[in-house]
C-alpha cells in the first residue's frame, strides 16, 4: 500500500454517524458502540438549534430520528432535550438524549477518539453554522493530539469555517460525481482533502487527488472487500456503518 500517512494523520477506519446502524445514529450510544468495536475515529453530523447550540443530527427535521416534529433549527436546545432520540431505532435505546458537540467533545477526547465533524447546516444558515462550529471546535479541542477534521457538502459553510479558524483542517464532501473544477474549489477553500461518495470513486480519481497533494476518504463503505480495494488504490480512510464486519479490533479482516 502507498505511504499515505503524511497527508492523513487520522485512523484509516472511521465509524459513520458514530456507529449509526447498530445504535441510533449521531448519539452518544452510537459512539460507545463504535468505540467498543475498536474505532478510534467517528464521523458525525452537526447543526445548530434556534439558540445556537451545536447538536448532532443528520436531517433538517426531527421526525426520522426522534420523537419530535419539525425543523430542529426552530427549537431551543431545552425543547429538543425533552425528546427521545433512541426509540425510533429500537426499544433498547429508548430515551437516548440528543447529543451536543460539547458532550461529544468530552467523550471523544476522554477516550482518544478522533473526530470528523460534518457541518450539516440547516438551509439558509450555512455561513453562521460553518463559522460557529469552527469556533466551537477550536475551543473544545484545544490542546488535543489532533484537531477535528471539518467537512461539509456546503462550500459556504466551509468558507465560513476557513475564515473563522483557518488552521482547522477541512475536507470538501463530494455528493455525486467529482466536478471538473474540484481542484479550484478545494484550493479556494484551502481544504486538506476530499471526502468522496463510494459510488463514484475510481482508482484514477484517487490518484488525481493524491497527485494534487490532498487526502481522500470515501463514504459510506460497508463491504470489507470494497474497503480493501479502495485502500489498495491509495485512499487514506473509509467511513463505514459496518462496525462489526470492519472493526479495527479484527486486524485479520481489516488491516
Ligand atoms: O461525511 C460522509 C457522509 O456522512 C456524508 O453523507 O448523508 O451520511 O451525512 P451523510
Ligand atoms: Mg455525515
Amino acid at each position: 500500500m502507498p505511504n499515505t500517512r503524511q497527508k492523513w494523520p487520522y485512523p484509516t477506519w472511521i465509524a459513520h454517524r458514530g456507529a449509526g446502524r447498530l445504535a441510533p445514529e449521531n448519539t452518544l450510544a452510537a459512539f460507545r458502540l463504535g468505540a467498543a468495536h475498536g474505532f478510534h475515529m467517528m464521523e458525525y453530523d452537526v447543526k445548530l438549534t434556534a439558540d445556537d447550540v451545536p447538536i448532532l443530527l443528520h436531517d433538517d427535521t426531527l421526525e426520522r430520528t426522534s420523537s419530535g416534529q419539525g425543523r430542529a433549527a426552530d427549537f431551543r436546545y431545552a425543547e429538543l432535550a425533552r425528546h427521545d432520540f433512541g426509540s425510533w431505532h429500537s426499544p433498547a435505546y429508548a430515551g437516548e438524549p440528543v447529543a451536543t458537540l460539547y458532550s461529544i467533545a468530552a467523550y471523544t477526547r476522554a477516550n482518544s477518539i478522533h473526530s470528523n465533524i460534518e457541518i450539516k447546516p440547516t438551509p439558509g444558515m450555512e455561513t453562521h453554522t460553518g463559522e460557529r462550529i469552527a469556533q466551537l471546535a477550536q475551543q473544545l479541542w484545544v490542546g488535543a493530539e489532533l484537531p477535528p477534521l471539518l467537512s461539509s457538502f456546503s462550500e459556504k459553510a466551509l468558507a465560513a469555517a476557513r475564515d473563522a479558524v483557518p488552521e482547522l483542517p477541512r475536507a470538501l464532501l463530494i455528493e455525486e460525481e467529482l466536478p471538473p473544477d474540484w481542484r479550484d474549489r478545494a484550493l479556494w477553500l484551502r481544504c486538506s482533502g476530499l471526502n468522496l461518495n463510494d459510488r463514484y470513486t475510481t482508482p484514477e480519481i484517487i490518484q488525481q487527488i493524491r497527485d494534487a497533494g490532498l487526502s481522500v476518504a470515501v463514504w459510506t463503505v460497508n463491504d470489507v472487500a470494497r474497503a480493501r480495494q479502495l485502500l489498495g488504490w491509495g485512499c487514506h480512510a473509509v467511513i463505514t456503518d459496518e462496525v462489526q464486519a470492519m472493526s479495527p479490533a479484527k486486524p485479520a479482516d481489516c488491516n
Side-chain angles (χ1 to χ4, degrees), residues 16-17 43-45 58 118 120 153 173:
H16 186 224
R17 307 184 191 176
E43 182 271 357
Y44 48 97
D45 308 301
H58 180 276
E118 184 187 337
K120 197 77 125 176
F153 292 115
L173 267 166

